[in-house]
Amino acid sequence: MVTRGIRGATTVTHNNEEHILKETAVLLQEIVDRNEIQPEDICSVWITMTGDLDAAFPAKAIRQLDGWELVPLMCALEVPVAGALPQCIRFMVHVNTAKGQNEINHVYLNGAQSLRPDLATPSNS
C-alpha cells in the first residue's frame, strides 16, 4: 500500500456559502466514487480556493459528511496568478491505496475542466 495524490477542482457560480459548500461536496463525492475509496483510506485533504471566494470554508462541507469527522482537512488561498481561473476550488486528496498512478481518477468539474482537459472526464452520475 502506498500514498497517492488525487487531484480535483471545480468552480462555483456565486461567492456564497451555499454554492461553495454544495460544489465542494459534489467534488468530493465524485473523487470518492470514481476512485472507490472510503474516508478511512484518506490521509488528508488539502483544499485551496481562489481569492474571490471568501464566503465559506470548503472544509465545512466535508466535516458535515458521515465518516469524515476525523479526516485531516486544510484550507488555503490559491496562488493569485494573473489570468487564473476564477471562483475555483481545488483538492489534493492523499489516499492510502494499492492502485498504481495510472489507476487514479482525477476529477475536474464545471469550469475547472479547462484546467486539465486531458484528465476531465464526464461525470458518472
Side-chain angles (χ1 to χ4, degrees), residues 67-84:
W68 289 86
E69 303 85 3
L70 300 177
V71 175
L73 308 171
M74 178 65 70
C75 294
L77 186 62
E78 185 69 31
V79 176
V81 175

Side-chain angles (χ1 to χ4, degrees), residues 49-99:
M49 292 194 312
T50 50
D52 53 359
L53 297 178
D54 61 4
F57 290 106
K60 179 178 179 181
I62 298 171
R63 293 237 182 276
Q64 294 173 348
L65 301 173
D66 288 337
W68 289 86
E69 303 85 3
L70 300 177
V71 175
L73 308 171
M74 178 65 70
C75 294
L77 186 62
E78 185 69 31
V79 176
V81 175
L85 182 65
Q87 296 183 306
C88 187
I89 301 167
R90 290 177 171 89
F91 282 13
M92 177 62 75
V93 179
H94 302 105
V95 60
N96 291 317
T97 182
K99 292 181 180 182

Side-chain angles (χ1 to χ4, degrees), residues 10-38:
T10 191
T11 55
V12 298
T13 55
H14 298 88
N15 179 29
N16 66 40
E17 183 175 40
E18 177 185 353
H19 282 100
I20 291 170
L21 298 183
K22 176 183 176 271
E23 293 302 329
T24 296
V26 168
L27 178 58
L28 178 67
Q29 192 61 54
E30 284 291 327
I31 289 171
V32 166
D33 290 349
R34 292 185 194 187
N35 289 283
E36 300 174 330
I37 55 177
Q38 302 297 319

